[in-house]
Amino acid sequence: MITKWPKLVPFVVSVLTFVSVLSAEAIAEIRGSGDLGLVVERTDGAVKILETSTNRFLSRVEGLGDLSHASVVYSRDQRYAFVFGRDGGLTRVDMLKGEISQRILQAGNSIGGAISQDGRLVAVSNYTPGGVRVFDSETLELIADIPATYNDGQSSKVVGLVDAPGNRFVFSLWDAGEIWIADMSAPNAPEVTRFQNVGVNPYDALITSDGRYYIAGLFGEDGLALLDLWHPEQGVRRIIPGYGKGSQKLPVYKMPHLEGWAIAGNHAFVPAVGAHQVLVIDMNSWSEAGRIEVKGQPIFVMAQPDGRRIWVNFALPDNDTIQVIDTESLEVIASIQPGTGVLHMEFEPRGEEVWMSVRDLNQVQIYNTQNIEQIATLPASKPSGIFFTARAHRTGL
Amino acid sequence: MITKWPKLVPFVVSVLTFVSVLSAEAIAEIRGSGDLGLVVERTDGAVKILETSTNRFLSRVEGLGDLSHASVVYSRDQRYAFVFGRDGGLTRVDMLKGEISQRILQAGNSIGGAISQDGRLVAVSNYTPGGVRVFDSETLELIADIPATYNDGQSSKVVGLVDAPGNRFVFSLWDAGEIWIADMSAPNAPEVTRFQNVGVNPYDALITSDGRYYIAGLFGEDGLALLDLWHPEQGVRRIIPGYGKGSQKLPVYKMPHLEGWAIAGNHAFVPAVGAHQVLVIDMNSWSEAGRIEVKGQPIFVMAQPDGRRIWVNFALPDNDTIQVIDTESLEVIASIQPGTGVLHMEFEPRGEEVWMSVRDLNQVQIYNTQNIEQIATLPASKPSGIFFTARAHRTGL
């Protein structure tokens, strides 16, 4: 089941000479970078840089291309954001100067990225032409190209790319039904371990915060694919047969995001695909431990940093609502309606406040997590993803 | 058992006018603060500011007083270190400028400190005159004074001070045998909840990384005192009767530090007081799950961020050794001898390297955590505690 594939096909990357767009309010002074973050303005190709200590925006950076499905990772010094755009753009944003430091178009269509444990390598997973490309995080020079080739040379879309301890990247091949581990110990010559027949159409994945378990959702069949990275020799196994597209009773309006899975104590809380439920998984046995009825089809199911509550947003037509679940009673303890198009949430690192993008109100709203009361509203144009620099220090984020 | 005690006795703090000592190599340029840290030079009253991305020192700051037992917390923007000295000194160090921004002598003899969840308040636990004082993290102005008064007005030494979710501080009273929660929702009027008769002489404590469980070690009797902060109404209960001074067979050369306790999966790994063992605690039942024989009396028992291995240092005469335990097999898989006086360790936030102070060699050594090989050595004068800025984003650190 496991085969090694260390060879790489060189690939020419188009590097755009880029004149950075410096915002008027750009930060010029010496300051810490631990309380920064950014909000994606999805239709403007822009990001707004924020400060959580004062709940305000500091600057706005334009020129990031198509951000209709964007994600972000941070450099280990928390100065630079790497923004992965839908158009294959990889943009390195200087959070302190409020400007773009580099930008390349590394592929035709990309879906996400990750930064290596040591912070030296940024990897991007691509739809077109498929595969994973790995770049130097300082220069954005191409370091390695890993085509996702299967069968007779077909190329697979790659999804669910995450970093793992040991300077590894792990990702899933949508078309091939495979999970790959790329060990980047020698950055120019990744050593790839392939797991075949993991399930039909893995569509997204997560890694637990300790970097041990990689779990892919399967679009083409029931259940999830689980890989224990402490024991790759045991291969991938199928868990939670009640999960996934095969069991759905309702049309799926939007695929849930698996990066948002929540772990509290021994329980993982995951969005049930297509059902109005949050699944509870017992992580000791990897079996289902319960289902919580919620208002709609959950998209992001996120735990507060203290694990005491789970916050859930929903697909249409319930995308105006957030529900909050108590992790002890497994009951919904609050429902709020921030407005239509609540697309994403991000908790401050020690959990006292949560930021939310409310697309159709052109607002970012900030709530106190203890009493679930709104404490601030900031203007943003069609905001989507929110990403704080504290992610730099977390595996898988 | 629980009584409320909201009143405070005002206390005049002597603020020292301080001329900061700016090192020659001080950092002047704009830079991120996520990969910084400091090493305490315990006999020089100095700290060396370090950068984990390059494994080097950036600058040295002097004038911090008696650092023979020092600890450090960080501001939420990761720019400022708050250094708690043995002499009651509280020093705010600007990590980016490499200089002291403020310094006060807030008591005669202090033992440790914490920063509130929201980052606005810094608390110090004192031996002389006892109690906890709370300061504004921007100005070091006194915000609240919480005398640890018990019985007929006696003052207790305070130990085991940590932050907890809900902007609370939790601490233990050595002389009184009590645990207190101070809710700082109204910073000028802390609301104190007292738990009495928790055990004889609590000497140190820890809080789990989710901020739920506060556990104090007891010097005067067997066992530990456990407080579930999700359920303070259940009070404090005694756990692990095999733990503690009462059961010791050997003289205790140095009290272990409880902040260093390690949690991996459902197991907590703790130093057995006075015995050559690491105790394994099942966190579901809070009962003992095993004992691992080690070379000497453990002091710090610390988990890698990925939870896969536990690193242990020891009291005299074994303080030249580090042992590494595999958390699955519960076996010692490596013993290394960095040199006499291995006082402290700190893992890089995503765990790829670990820094160690080797006092008698005047060295800080850096190891790759995967192959346990030394990769760098840096000079430092009698180094003790090592603290990275990533602690800013963690509860209880």
Side-chain angles (χ1 to χ4, degrees):
Chain A
M1 184 164 69
I2 300 169
T3 59
K4 301 275 179 181
W5 180 69
K7 298 284 179 199
L8 292 178
V9 179
F11 186 85
V12 179
V13 173
S14 63
V15 178
L16 299 179
T17 309
F18 196 89
V19 181
S20 67
V21 180
L22 183 56
S23 142
E25 320 102 295
I27 314 155
E29 80 277 22
I30 291 173
R31 58 157 297 148
S33 56
D35 59 347
L36 299 179
L38 62 76
V39 174
V40 172
E41 295 187 322
R42 63 196 304 274
T43 54
D44 291 6
V47 298
K48 280 185 121 166
I49 295 177
L50 62 90
E51 182 185 64
T52 63
S53 295
T54 54
N55 289 347
R56 64 184 172 130
F57 288 122
L58 300 176
S59 62
R60 185 167 187 268
V61 184
E62 299 177 345
L64 282 82
D66 180 357
L67 299 184
S68 60
H69 189 287
S71 66
V72 176
V73 299
Y74 285 98
S75 63
R76 55 180 289 139
D77 64 356
Q78 300 184 325
R79 176 169 180 176
Y80 298 99
F82 298 91
V83 182
F84 308 100
R86 193 51 179 261
D87 55 1
L90 167 57
T91 311
R92 186 173 186 257
V93 174
D94 185 331
M95 301 288 288
L96 294 176
K97 291 190 172 170
E99 64 185 30
I100 292 173
S101 81
Q102 286 115 304
R103 173 168 163 80
I104 60 173
L105 278 182
Q106 57 82 40
N109 187 334
S110 70
I111 186 67
I115 187 163
S116 62
Q117 182 182 31
D118 68 3
R120 319 275 180 224
L121 304 170
V122 171
V124 192
S125 58
N126 291 315
Y127 272 14
T128 312
V132 170
R133 293 201 179 110
V134 182
F135 300 88
D136 183 301
S137 63
E138 289 283 335
T139 63
L140 298 195
E141 255 181 284
L142 183 70
I143 298 288
D145 186 11
I146 309 174
T149 316
Y150 69 108
N151 284 353
D152 52 346
Q154 288 176 272
S155 179
S156 177
K157 290 189 181 70
V158 171
V159 298
L161 170 66
V162 300
D163 63 284
N167 245 33
R168 292 177 294 175
F169 292 117
V170 189
F171 48 91
S172 297
L173 280 63
W174 162 273
D175 306 288
E178 299 188 6
I179 293 173
W180 290 15
I181 301 172
D183 183 331
M184 305 302 297
S185 299
N188 294 296
E191 189 173 321
V192 174
T193 306
R194 290 172 67 165
F195 300 87
Q196 298 178 302
N197 303 314
V198 305
V200 177
N201 294 143
Y203 68 92
D204 198 3
L206 73 91
I207 190 165
T208 52
S209 63
D210 60 2
R212 176 166 183 178
Y213 296 106
Y214 179 85
I215 305 166
L218 301 173
F219 190 75
E221 60 184 278
D222 263 3
L224 299 160
L226 172 72
L227 173 60
D228 180 349
L229 291 167
W230 291 12
H231 295 291
E233 76 283 358
Q234 294 175 0
V236 173
R237 65 184 171 113
R238 236 61 67 85
I239 58 168
I240 318 294
Y243 183 91
K245 187 168 182 281
S247 68
Q248 78 186 71
K249 300 292 179 290
L250 299 168
V252 179
Y253 292 105
K254 181 174 170 150
M255 290 305 289
H257 279 266
L258 300 196
E259 306 100 311
W261 287 16
I263 288 167
N266 297 326
H267 286 156
F269 295 80
V270 307
V273 181
H276 291 192
Q277 292 174 330
V278 169
L279 264 65
V280 188
I281 298 176
D282 179 329
M283 292 182 66
N284 292 323
S285 61
W286 292 107
S287 59
E288 189 179 319
R291 290 179 180 236
I292 302 163
E293 299 296 325
V294 289
K295 189 179 179 195
Q297 294 184 4
I299 298 295
F300 282 103
V301 172
M302 305 179 79
Q304 285 180 192
D306 67 359
R308 189 154 195 186
R309 290 172 178 169
I310 305 289
W311 296 56
V312 186
N313 71 344
F314 301 98
L316 279 169
D318 301 299
N319 71 347
D320 61 344
T321 298
I322 292 283
Q323 288 193 311
V324 183
I325 296 168
D326 180 279
T327 58
E328 281 194 300
S329 68
L330 304 184
E331 279 167 16
V332 174
I333 56 164
S335 291
I336 55 174
Q337 289 186 297
T340 308
V342 189
L343 295 187
H344 197 228
M345 291 171 278
E346 179 89 335
F347 292 95
E348 294 190 1
R350 292 208 274 161
E352 65 274 24
E353 293 170 4
V354 60
W355 293 49
M356 275 173 213
S357 284
V358 190
R359 184 194 55 205
D360 295 358
L361 294 181
N362 293 306
Q363 282 183 352
V364 171
Q365 297 179 6
I366 306 172
Y367 290 78
N368 176 314
T369 53
Q370 236 185 326
N371 57 22
I372 314 180
E373 278 174 18
Q374 190 179 320
I375 53 179
T377 301
L378 304 175
S381 169
K382 304 291 174 208
S384 54
I386 308 177
F387 304 89
F388 295 163
T389 53
R391 288 173 172 249
H393 297 151
R394 305 281 167 84
T395 294
L397 291 184
Chain B
M1 182 164 72
I2 301 170
T3 60
K4 299 276 179 180
W5 180 72
K7 299 282 178 197
L8 290 178
V9 179
F11 186 83
V12 179
V13 173
S14 62
V15 178
L16 300 180
T17 309
F18 196 88
V19 181
S20 68
V21 180
L22 182 56
S23 141
E25 321 103 291
I27 313 155
E29 80 277 21
I30 292 173
R31 58 157 295 149
S33 56
D35 59 345
L36 299 179
L38 62 76
V39 174
V40 173
E41 295 187 321
R42 63 195 304 276
T43 54
D44 292 5
V47 296
K48 280 186 122 166
I49 295 176
L50 62 88
E51 182 185 65
T52 63
S53 295
T54 54
N55 289 346
R56 65 185 172 129
F57 288 121
L58 299 176
S59 62
R60 185 169 187 268
V61 184
E62 300 177 344
L64 283 80
D66 180 357
L67 298 184
S68 61
H69 189 287
S71 66
V72 176
V73 299
Y74 286 98
S75 63
R76 57 180 287 138
D77 63 357
Q78 300 185 324
R79 175 170 180 176
Y80 298 100
F82 298 90
V83 182
F84 308 99
R86 193 52 178 261
D87 55 2
L90 167 57
T91 312
R92 186 173 184 260
V93 174
D94 185 331
M95 301 288 288
L96 293 176
K97 290 190 173 170
E99 64 184 32
I100 292 172
S101 81
Q102 286 115 304
R103 174 169 161 80
I104 61 173
L105 278 182
Q106 58 82 40
N109 187 335
S110 69
I111 186 67
I115 187 162
S116 61
Q117 182 183 31
D118 68 4
R120 318 276 181 224
L121 304 171
V122 171
V124 193
S125 58
N126 290 314
Y127 272 15
T128 313
V132 170
R133 287 194 187 116
V134 182
F135 300 88
D136 182 302
S137 63
E138 288 284 335
T139 63
L140 298 194
E141 254 182 284
L142 184 68
I143 297 289
D145 186 13
I146 308 174
T149 316
Y150 68 108
N151 283 352
D152 52 347
Q154 289 174 271
S155 180
S156 178
K157 288 188 182 70
V158 172
V159 298
L161 170 66
V162 300
D163 64 284
N167 244 32
R168 293 177 293 175
F169 292 117
V170 188
F171 48 91
S172 297
L173 282 62
W174 162 272
D175 306 288
E178 299 186 7
I179 293 173
W180 291 14
I181 301 171
D183 183 330
M184 306 303 295
S185 300
N188 293 295
E191 190 173 320
V192 174
T193 306
R194 292 172 64 166
F195 300 87
Q196 297 178 302
N197 304 313
V198 305
V200 178
N201 293 142
Y203 68 91
D204 199 2
L206 73 92
I207 190 165
T208 52
S209 62
D210 60 1
R212 176 166 183 177
Y213 296 106
Y214 180 84
I215 305 166
L218 301 172
F219 190 75
E221 60 184 277
D222 263 2
L224 300 161
L226 171 72
L227 174 60
D228 180 350
L229 292 167
W230 291 13
H231 295 290
E233 75 284 359
Q234 294 175 359
V236 174
R237 65 184 172 113
R238 235 63 65 85
I239 58 168
I240 318 294
Y243 182 91
K245 188 170 182 282
S247 68
Q248 78 184 75
K249 301 292 181 290
L250 299 167
V252 179
Y253 291 104
K254 180 173 170 153
M255 291 305 289
H257 280 266
L258 300 196
E259 306 101 312
W261 288 16
I263 289 168
N266 297 325
H267 285 156
F269 295 81
V270 307
V273 181
H276 291 194
Q277 292 173 330
V278 169
L279 266 64
V280 187
I281 298 175
D282 179 328
M283 293 182 66
N284 292 322
S285 61
W286 292 107
S287 60
E288 190 178 317
R291 289 178 181 238
I292 302 163
E293 299 295 326
V294 289
K295 189 179 179 193
Q297 294 183 5
I299 298 294
F300 282 103
V301 173
M302 304 178 79
Q304 287 179 192
D306 67 0
R308 186 153 197 187
R309 291 172 177 172
I310 304 288
W311 296 56
V312 186
N313 72 343
F314 301 98
L316 279 168
D318 301 298
N319 70 346
D320 62 343
T321 299
I322 293 283
Q323 288 193 312
V324 183
I325 296 168
D326 179 278
T327 58
E328 280 194 299
S329 69
L330 304 183
E331 277 167 17
V332 173
I333 56 163
S335 291
I336 55 174
Q337 289 187 297
T340 309
V342 190
L343 297 187
H344 197 227
M345 291 171 277
E346 179 89 335
F347 292 95
E348 296 190 2
R350 291 208 275 160
E352 64 274 24
E353 292 171 4
V354 60
W355 294 49
M356 277 174 211
S357 283
V358 190
R359 184 194 55 207
D360 295 358
L361 294 181
N362 294 307
Q363 282 182 352
V364 171
Q365 297 179 6
I366 305 172
Y367 290 78
N368 176 315
T369 53
Q370 235 185 325
N371 57 22
I372 315 180
E373 277 173 20
Q374 189 178 320
I375 52 179
T377 301
L378 304 174
S381 169
K382 304 291 175 210
S384 54
I386 309 177
F387 304 90
F388 295 162
T389 53
R391 287 172 173 250
H393 297 151
R394 305 280 167 86
T395 294
L397 292 185

